[in-house]
Each structure stands twice: as structure tokens, then as C-alpha cells.
Amino acid sequence: ALFHSDFARNRPVPVHRGGPARLAAMISAGQEAGVFAPVPAGLTARMLFAAMHEAADAVREGADRLAVTLALDALLHRALTPEIDP
């Protein structure tokens, strides 16, 4: 997995360009476009990045890739889909 590769260890990414920062920027852009829920972008990004990291670890350890992908997809949708007023 990329998270644990020699590439990742030998070429550290500055915090402002890391995964959580990029996710936060995407979440903020989605919120500005009205397609993502009004959640705290930075904190949500950290949590989602952690979930993606764990998903990659699970697959690396032998978990079913499709099951992991579907679970992660459900989590992302729950975290970012805005509520629709009835």
C-alpha cells in the first residue's frame, strides 16, 4: 500500500500538501458547490483519511477488496451527503 511504501517513507510530504489537507480542500470545494454536507472540513478530512488508511491496511492484510471498498464508500456517503429537507 502507498501508505507504507518505501516511496512514502523516503519522500515525506509537507503537512499542507498531505492527504488530509487535500481532502479538506476537496470537502470545502464540495461544500461551496452545495454538494457536500456542512461538516468541519479539516476534522472530517482527518477522519476520512484515517478510514482510507485503515481500508488500505485491511486489504493488504487479506480483507476482501470489494467488501472494504463498499464499506468505505458507505462511510464517505454518510459523512458528506447533505441532508435533504422534506
Side-chain angles (χ1 to χ4, degrees), residues 3-22:
F3 298 103
H4 300 289
S5 68
D6 287 337
F7 179 82
R9 277 189 292 280
N10 295 329
R11 301 186 76 179
V13 177
V15 172
H16 72 281
R17 294 187 58 210
R22 290 175 184 253

Side-chain angles (χ1 to χ4, degrees), residues 25-52:
M26 286 188 273
I27 291 169
S28 293
Q31 290 169 330
E32 289 173 18
V35 295
F36 285 165
V39 295
L43 182 57
T44 302
R46 287 186 70 179
M47 301 287 191
L48 294 178
F49 187 79
M52 288 193 273

Side-chain angles (χ1 to χ4, degrees), residues 42-70:
L43 182 57
T44 302
R46 287 186 70 179
M47 301 287 191
L48 294 178
F49 187 79
M52 288 193 273
H53 191 156
E54 286 297 320
D57 285 350
V59 170
R60 183 185 62 151
E61 293 167 6
D64 179 78
R65 183 182 304 263
L66 179 58
V68 171
T69 301
L70 292 173

